[in-house]
Structures are given as C-alpha cells and as structure tokens.
Amino acid sequence: MLDKGILEVLFPGQEDAGPILEGEDRTSHYERALKYGLSSGAFLFLDYKGEEDNEIVNYILDYEFERGIELATQDELEALGELEYEFLPDKIRETNSLLKNSNYGLFVFPSLGDYYALFISRLENKAVLTSAELLDVEMVPPRERYIQYYTGTEV
C-alpha cells in the first residue's frame, strides 16, 4: 500500500505531493501518485515499444543536473544511448547495471496500460520501494502490482 514513507522516497522534498494520500481508496492513491509523478517530471513516461531519441539518457542527464551529481560518465551515457535492444526491460537492466556504480537505480512504477513510468532512486530505498503492493487490481499479474527493479539476473 502506498504510504507516506514511499511518497517521501518517490518525491523527496516535494511537499505538494502530500494530497496524494487523501481519502481511503488505494487505487486513487496509486492514480494520484502516477499522475503527480508524470506531471512533475519525477517519472519518465515511455511507451511499451521503447524510447525515441535517447529518452532514458536525457532523463538521467536531467536528474544529474537538478541534483548536481554524476551518475555515469559521458562515455557511459553515450554507450547506453547507442544500446540496441529488443524489449525495454533489457534497456532498463542495462541502465541499472550502469547506475548501480553510483548506488542509484532506475525503477518501474506499476502501470495499468501499455507504458512504463520510470524513476530514479537511491538503491538504499530499494527494499522500501519494492515491498509495497500499490495496485489492488486482479487483472494485473501479482508481481506487476509492485514497484520493480530490473537487474541482469532476472528472467
């Protein structure tokens, strides 16, 4: 269930995210968090088919610029941008193998459609982020009701 602790990790320092948890309906909490993440730029929206024009690399660059940090070198990001992949999770796995060196990861927020909502967070938040079932919708496979972190060891 989406709670204040997860919101603070998803949207650090953004006090206007507080109204997301108003009301009792879990689905509404999920929908408000998704809408807020997409509208605030905290989440990267990608069609299930994949990227257009290095969107993941640009998202990483924006993240770095906003926080004054470096998650990867320019050469590493260029190589990531040139990566050929068949399915978007493969690109996410490759991104995570790169970002883990800086103790960050690219996470997948649950979705009810044919798209991905991605966000960057510190790996120290992984247990908090991936432990809560955010969707209570039977048509969604159980695993996909949670925030996911793809690694190279997953099938």
Side-chain angles (χ1 to χ4, degrees):
M1 180 174 181
L2 191 63
D3 61 21
K4 188 175 179 183
I6 293 173
L7 283 181
E8 289 174 355
V9 172
L10 287 173
F11 312 116
Q14 298 178 343
E15 286 78 27
D16 58 338
I20 289 172
L21 295 179
E22 291 180 356
E24 298 288 321
D25 183 16
R26 286 177 52 181
T27 302
S28 294
H29 296 166
Y30 160 80
E31 290 171 354
R32 284 193 291 266
L34 179 61
K35 184 177 179 179
Y36 181 84
L38 293 172
S39 66
S40 68
F43 292 172
L44 171 64
F45 173 87
L46 288 180
D47 185 271
Y48 76 97
K49 294 177 185 173
E51 302 172 279
E52 293 179 20
D53 302 326
N54 294 319
E55 291 164 295
I56 290 176
V57 169
N58 291 332
Y59 178 69
I60 293 170
L61 289 170
D62 289 344
Y63 190 91
E64 289 178 329
F65 180 75
E66 289 174 12
R67 288 155 183 83
I69 60 175
E70 181 177 286
L71 300 178
T73 66
Q74 188 65 34
D75 290 341
E76 291 170 327
L77 291 174
E78 285 179 20
L80 181 64
E82 295 171 2
L83 177 73
E84 297 287 330
Y85 61 93
E86 186 172 358
F87 300 106
L88 189 57
D90 296 334
K91 177 79 177 252
I92 296 169
R93 286 183 186 92
E94 195 64 33
T95 302
N96 281 332
S97 71
L98 176 64
L99 297 181
K100 75 178 182 186
N101 297 328
S102 300
N103 202 26
Y104 281 82
L106 185 63
F107 293 83
V108 180
F109 196 80
S111 138
L112 290 171
D114 292 339
Y115 61 91
Y116 290 86
L118 308 173
F119 65 96
I120 295 172
S121 184
R122 294 180 149 279
L123 289 178
E124 66 195 36
N125 299 323
K126 180 179 167 187
V128 170
L129 290 170
T130 60
S131 65
E133 184 180 29
L134 302 186
L135 283 175
D136 188 18
V137 179
E138 288 187 24
M139 67 179 197
V140 175
R143 180 177 168 187
E144 295 178 16
R145 298 175 192 168
Y146 294 78
I147 291 172
Q148 295 184 64
Y149 176 76
Y150 297 146
T151 65
T153 59
E154 293 179 338
V155 177

